[in-house]
Amino acid sequence: SESVFEHKIDATRLLLELQRLIPYPDGAMRALQRAGYTLTDIVYVLKDIFEKGGGEVADMMIRTTLWQEPDVMASVQAAYGTDYVTMFVQFHKSKGFDAKFVMNALLHRLGVADPVKASNHLIDAGYAKNEVLDAASIYFRNDMASFIKKVFGLDDAVAVAAYFAQWPLKGFIHPFDVTRQLRVAFPGISTFDLVMCLRAVGMPASG
């Protein structure tokens, strides 16, 4: 989106060049803050002059502790015209952060209250489905079947069970619990289908 302070860009660029801060966005950011530039202005400087992506800008600004994260979120989202959570997940994925870290950040820092929505953000950013299952397991251990059904858009119980087989904690859950979860996720599921599901998970059909 177009900068809301475009008339300041040339003067700002000159200021930064004079201070030899162009190669150093972190130093420029701090210098501009001391000079009285607003948070929004500095976001646009990093975007328009330094050509930084939204996720990277947010990460740099939050790490300085000069601003509160909700304020950074609002300014970055306004400047880039993209959902902040999407930028956050994509940036951290590109930097090699695992799904558990990002899931935790979404739920406890960024205000994504629903773990299903958080999981969808991770999948959209390219995290492998088994990574997402692992990251979500702490929140859905007792309802993984419904979680898998919702997140992966599955209507077939055996297909859900096949994902269940990839769950790292599968070895710590009893076949009875798997059966219970499948009955919750698929009301009216037949005994035959339950047996097929348990086979897909790699569990005995008895017990």
Side-chain angles (χ1 to χ4, degrees):
S1 60
E2 186 176 354
S3 172
V4 296
F5 70 115
E6 197 167 355
H7 62 283
K8 294 185 181 179
I9 287 293
D10 290 339
T12 302
R13 191 188 305 276
L14 177 60
L15 168 66
L16 296 177
E17 287 175 348
L18 289 173
Q19 294 182 346
R20 299 186 179 183
L21 290 173
I22 283 290
Y24 311 105
D26 185 72
M29 183 169 52
R30 294 174 183 274
L32 290 167
Q33 192 268 346
R34 289 195 298 269
Y37 278 70
T38 68
L39 169 59
T40 299
D41 281 352
I42 297 171
V43 169
Y44 276 111
V45 169
L46 294 171
K47 172 179 177 284
D48 296 340
I49 296 178
F50 289 92
E51 299 181 348
K52 299 293 184 183
E56 185 176 4
V57 168
D59 184 66
M60 286 192 300
M61 301 190 98
I62 291 165
R63 282 192 286 108
T64 67
T65 71
L66 294 172
W67 301 279
Q68 296 297 312
E69 187 163 11
D71 298 328
V72 173
M73 288 171 59
S75 292
V76 169
Q77 186 162 296
Y80 287 83
T82 303
D83 176 63
Y84 178 85
V85 171
T86 299
M87 288 187 287
F88 179 93
V89 176
Q90 290 173 343
F91 171 74
H92 285 83
K93 173 74 165 57
S94 73
K95 294 299 181 182
F97 286 86
D98 64 25
K100 286 183 179 179
F101 173 89
V102 177
M103 173 77 78
N104 185 67
L106 294 185
L107 295 175
H108 301 293
R109 280 176 47 195
L110 303 189
V112 180
D114 183 358
V116 171
K117 289 183 179 178
S119 299
N120 284 326
H121 278 294
L122 268 63
I123 292 169
D124 291 343
Y127 281 97
K129 291 178 179 179
N130 62 323
E131 292 181 274
V132 177
L133 283 176
D134 190 22
S137 62
I138 188 173
Y139 307 101
F140 288 100
R141 180 169 182 172
N142 295 319
D143 198 18
M144 282 300 291
S146 294
F147 168 79
I148 293 168
K149 180 182 178 182
K150 290 177 183 177
V151 170
F152 302 134
L154 300 173
D155 294 322
D156 180 70
V158 177
V160 168
Y163 275 106
F164 228 118
Q166 303 176 42
W167 186 27
L169 293 181
K170 183 194 73 174
F172 298 94
I173 188 169
H174 194 276
F176 174 81
D177 292 322
V178 176
T179 299
R180 177 189 58 78
Q181 291 192 32
L182 288 168
R183 288 189 186 280
V184 171
F186 296 94
I189 186 172
S190 69
T191 300
F192 174 80
D193 284 340
L194 283 172
V195 171
M196 297 301 294
C197 287
L198 288 172
R199 288 179 178 173
V201 177
M203 290 180 168
S206 60

